[in-house]
Amino acid sequence: MQNLYPLFERNRILKKELLWSLRDYSFAHIQLEYQEYDQGILRGYEIKVRENDLVIGPGIFKYGNFVCLQTEEERIPYSPKEHLQYLRMKVEVDRTSQDYIAYKMEYYVTTDEKKEENEFELCRFHLRSGARLRDQYRDFGDMETEYDTVSLIYSDWGGLGGKTLSPAIIKYFARIVLESENSQLEDRSFAYLCLTQPGTIPAHVLISYISKRSGIRMETVGNNQLIYRFMRSIIEEIQKGGEKSAGIRKERHRILVD
């Protein structure tokens, strides 16, 4: 077996074998990188609210065994409704051509809770009439606010060995942990991992950290809401402990001064 790497020099003509090598290398590289990941969002796909549109950022997505690229932003209009709404991506495979297979991605907002096998959730929200949809959060618990807030908790992210939680949630958790003076060494170590890891954190890593940190044996994989709520409980515990510790330090300081 051999790998061909073209030499891009003046007055040299690229032969078809070299062009085929470039094609195969570019496809094979990304397929091999994510071959052990579950299908779903792999990188990017940041959701932003701009006026009356939901803006979907560029990213990488896996459907079946094929990795798809979205290189440009997509804007999807939305409006208030009296029901929970879902921003979804639908993937269709076109095999009618003899020259290629086309993976077509369609984005839309729906109130239908049922999701087909080729549909993936990007976010959900419940926007009331007269209110404004927001994508910024006051604190970690605010990410589960019922109304007028973009929720990423149920987004379909693919990780190593299975589904996992959105990196936006995990990195937000990590930043809060590092900002707290009362976080423990294991919290800070986990936070550094989350902030330096590109893409997603595998669900089994999240569950292992939560189980050891909370003392509760947790084996459920694929329940994003449960994982998020355990992480929220850890944040609340850290912050309450931080307030207590700050009070103790202040009291000790007064005694020393006196």
Side-chain angles (χ1 to χ4, degrees), residues 29 45 49 54 81 84 97 145 149 151 172 185 191 203 225 236:
H29 174 77
Y45 278 87
V49 178
L54 288 167
K81 293 185 184 296
L84 190 63
S97 175
T145 297
T149 307
S151 174
Y172 189 22
L185 177 60
Q225 185 185 50
E236 291 172 352

Side-chain angles (χ1 to χ4, degrees), residues 184-243:
Q184 300 178 14
L185 177 60
E186 61 182 322
D187 299 321
R188 302 181 74 83
S189 298
F190 179 70
Y192 288 130
L193 169 67
C194 294
L195 292 175
T196 56
Q197 174 73 20
T200 60
I201 300 293
H204 70 269
V205 174
L206 295 174
I207 291 173
S208 176
Y209 162 73
I210 291 170
S211 297
K212 293 179 180 179
R213 181 62 171 78
S214 63
I216 300 174
R217 186 170 181 81
M218 182 180 176
E219 300 179 348
T220 303
V221 178
N223 190 329
N224 285 359
Q225 185 185 50
L226 185 60
I227 293 175
Y228 163 79
R229 289 183 174 175
F230 269 107
M231 295 173 71
R232 185 184 65 188
S233 296
I234 293 173
I235 287 292
E236 291 172 352
E237 179 185 331
I238 289 174
Q239 292 178 334
K240 287 179 181 178
E243 292 170 2

Side-chain angles (χ1 to χ4, degrees), residues 39-248:
Q39 68 174 4
I41 307 168
L42 302 179
R43 300 285 291 273
Y45 278 87
E46 183 180 15
I47 306 296
K48 290 293 183 182
V49 178
R50 294 181 186 167
E51 298 179 350
N52 296 321
D53 289 338
L54 288 167
V55 180
I56 306 168
I60 303 176
F61 182 84
K62 185 176 182 180
Y63 180 65
N65 294 320
F66 190 80
V67 177
C68 308
L69 303 179
Q70 176 175 300
T71 58
E72 298 179 351
E73 286 186 346
E74 292 282 344
R75 300 179 72 105
I76 309 299
Y78 70 92
S79 60
K81 293 185 184 296
E82 297 303 319
H83 302 282
L84 190 63
Q85 299 186 67
Y86 308 87
L87 174 62
R88 290 190 182 143
M89 171 172 57
K90 183 176 182 179
V91 184
E92 293 185 344
V93 182
D94 183 359
R95 302 176 183 271
T96 57
S97 175
Q98 295 182 348
D99 299 321
Y100 58 81
I101 299 175
Y103 290 81
K104 301 179 180 179
M105 292 170 283
E106 175 188 359
Y107 303 94
Y108 64 96
V109 174
T110 180
T111 58
D112 187 0
E113 183 179 0
K114 184 180 178 180
K115 184 173 58 176
E116 301 297 335
E117 291 185 358
N118 63 334
E119 295 179 332
F120 301 86
E121 179 175 327
L122 304 181
C123 72
R124 63 177 60 180
F125 58 93
H126 191 164
L127 181 61
R128 297 170 293 183
S129 298
R132 297 183 63 180
L133 186 62
R134 60 189 179 92
D135 56 19
Q136 300 295 317
Y137 309 102
R138 294 184 292 268
D139 52 40
F140 193 75
D142 189 36
M143 302 190 85
E144 201 178 17
T145 297
E146 182 177 0
Y147 296 106
D148 313 323
T149 307
V150 171
S151 174
L152 303 173
I153 296 173
Y154 307 91
S155 302
D156 288 315
W157 280 81
L160 279 170
K163 302 293 183 184
T164 189
L165 201 60
S166 166
I169 299 175
I170 298 172
K171 292 182 186 299
Y172 189 22
F173 172 89
R175 289 193 295 269
I176 295 174
V177 166
L178 293 180
E179 289 170 359
S180 174
E181 296 182 0
N182 199 55
S183 57
Q184 300 178 14
L185 177 60
E186 61 182 322
D187 299 321
R188 302 181 74 83
S189 298
F190 179 70
Y192 288 130
L193 169 67
C194 294
L195 292 175
T196 56
Q197 174 73 20
T200 60
I201 300 293
H204 70 269
V205 174
L206 295 174
I207 291 173
S208 176
Y209 162 73
I210 291 170
S211 297
K212 293 179 180 179
R213 181 62 171 78
S214 63
I216 300 174
R217 186 170 181 81
M218 182 180 176
E219 300 179 348
T220 303
V221 178
N223 190 329
N224 285 359
Q225 185 185 50
L226 185 60
I227 293 175
Y228 163 79
R229 289 183 174 175
F230 269 107
M231 295 173 71
R232 185 184 65 188
S233 296
I234 293 173
I235 287 292
E236 291 172 352
E237 179 185 331
I238 289 174
Q239 292 178 334
K240 287 179 181 178
E243 292 170 2
K244 182 178 180 182
S245 298
I248 293 173

